[in-house]
Amino acid sequence: MLKQEWRSLLLAIGFFTRIPVPALPDFQEQELNLAAKYFPLVGIIVGAFAAIVYMLAGKVLPQDIAVLLSMVATLWLTGAFHEDGLTDAIDGLGGGWEKEHVLQIMQDSRIGSYGAVSIVMALLLKFTALTHFTPALIPVLLIAGHSLSRFCAVMVMATQCYVKYSGKSKPIATRISPVHLGVAALFGLLPLLWLPSSWYWGMVPVMIVWVWFSLILNKRIGGYTGDCLGAMQQLTEIAFYLGVLACFAI
């Protein structure tokens, strides 16, 4: 049991980051379903890495540059995995009309105008929002934002059906059991305990974005793809930063 859980954790880390993990012999694509519960934990790892880079850079560099370097760190650590999903998903949803056309565009490795605009705006929003926080708050927000947003992606898996591309598609987790969803919720929501309870109002934009984008996916393609999960992660991470930032203005 413990051996399988350790294998699932290593699989999640190896699949979503560049962190070296031991070879996993006899890998089966279905194992990703068991690893899905650890996706938010991977978010904690990625957020912690970004926080460390930010704190170290902040000792010798201005805050805005430290924030930018923390973002570069996450892009490097994840191989821009979720950002790539955002560009593909927005390209497909923006440029396609029928379901098959949307999926065809998503599968295309080239970036279109919708995707290019979405990634530029996403990175700008993250950077601008984070630079408005006091330096002491940014490390906690990075960890919470990365874990919570990955839990939002897992929630899509729990509430919608996987839509397979025509032809060969990349391996992806497609199912999650209620018990595993509870584990994912634990890791996804745990970092929020570090935040003042008054900041929980920042969750409202996250829920709004999650419902809005989920409805779009259900209407346009009848479910989700791997790219859609990446897009949901990016959108809800941004919504979290903006939501907490709005709490300071209220």
Side-chain angles (χ1 to χ4, degrees), residues 152-153 156 209-210 213-214 228-237:
C152 289
V156 175
V209 168
W210 188 89
F213 195 59
S214 294
C228 298
L229 296 181
M232 182 64 85
Q233 185 277 320
Q234 289 289 293
L235 294 173
T236 51
E237 181 188 352

Side-chain angles (χ1 to χ4, degrees), residues 32-206:
L32 284 171
N33 293 324
L34 300 176
K37 61 180 174 291
Y38 293 121
F39 293 173
L41 178 56
V42 173
I44 292 178
I45 295 172
V46 173
F49 182 69
I52 291 171
V53 170
Y54 169 78
M55 289 187 292
L56 292 176
K59 292 182 180 296
V60 294
L61 296 170
Q63 179 178 342
D64 54 351
I65 297 179
V67 168
L68 189 58
L69 288 176
S70 74
M71 292 173 58
V72 171
T74 63
L75 291 169
W76 174 81
L77 189 63
T78 64
F81 191 81
H82 303 293
E83 288 79 5
D84 179 67
L86 174 68
T87 58
D88 288 342
I90 300 303
D91 263 340
L93 294 169
W97 292 98
E98 301 298 329
K99 173 182 176 179
E100 293 305 320
H101 190 206
V102 172
L103 295 175
Q104 182 181 12
I105 296 175
M106 285 187 188
Q107 199 172 17
D108 193 332
S109 60
R110 294 170 296 182
I111 298 179
S113 57
Y114 289 105
V117 169
S118 69
I119 191 61
V120 170
M121 291 296 103
L123 293 174
L124 280 175
L125 279 170
K126 286 185 195 180
F127 171 74
T128 307
L130 287 169
T131 55
H132 279 78
F133 291 106
T134 60
L137 298 178
I138 292 177
V140 177
L141 290 169
L142 287 170
I143 296 173
H146 280 277
S147 63
L148 175 63
S149 59
R150 282 164 175 78
F151 174 60
C152 289
V154 172
M155 280 293 294
V156 175
M157 293 172 48
T159 56
Q160 298 208 44
C161 298
Y162 172 60
V163 180
K164 186 177 178 64
Y165 291 121
S166 59
K168 187 176 181 180
S169 59
K170 299 176 183 178
I172 179 180
T174 57
R175 296 189 305 275
I176 185 166
S177 70
V179 173
H180 288 183
L181 181 62
V183 175
L186 173 65
F187 290 122
L189 301 177
L190 186 62
L192 295 177
L193 296 178
W194 298 342
L195 303 177
S197 58
S198 59
W199 291 10
Y200 291 169
W201 285 105
M203 290 286 293
V204 174
V206 176

Side-chain angles (χ1 to χ4, degrees), residues 7 24-29 31:
R7 180 182 173 93
L24 300 175
D26 304 320
F27 166 73
Q28 300 292 326
E29 185 175 330
E31 289 185 80

